[in-house]
Amino acid sequence: MVLEVSYGQHTLGSYIIFAKSRVERISELRLQDADELIYVMGEMETALSKTFKPDRFNYWQMGNVLHHLHIHGI
């Protein structure tokens, strides 16, 4: 597995997906890793939809402070 999910929440239902490999940009992911990212995002959406029934999902990727690829799901 190349990705890991962090459960430290800033708001209820939020999460962070970190790349385990040292990359800074989504464009640096290998195709296999990008596929895994999409899979993990889908699994998170499924679990959160069952629990919270949100209207939508938002994703945020900046990398200004932490120069390691990670995506915030809110």
Side-chain angles (χ1 to χ4, degrees), residues 13 15 41 44-49 54-59 73-74:
Y15 58 94
M41 291 170 80
M44 293 301 296
E45 288 179 9
T46 297
L48 290 169
S49 291
D55 293 328
R56 65 191 43 86
F57 292 91
N58 293 296
Y59 296 97
I74 304 168

Side-chain angles (χ1 to χ4, degrees), residues 7-53:
Y7 294 97
Q9 296 183 343
H10 298 286
T11 58
L12 187 62
S14 67
Y15 58 94
I16 302 172
I17 301 172
F18 284 92
K20 287 186 177 180
S21 56
R22 285 310 246 175
V23 296
E24 291 189 31
R25 298 179 182 99
I26 291 173
S27 61
E28 294 175 351
L29 289 175
R30 296 175 304 175
L31 186 56
Q32 174 185 343
D33 299 338
D35 286 345
E36 186 175 353
L37 173 60
I38 292 168
Y39 174 79
V40 169
M41 291 170 80
E43 290 292 301
M44 293 301 296
E45 288 179 9
T46 297
L48 290 169
S49 291
K50 290 177 183 176
T51 305
F52 298 109
K53 300 185 182 8

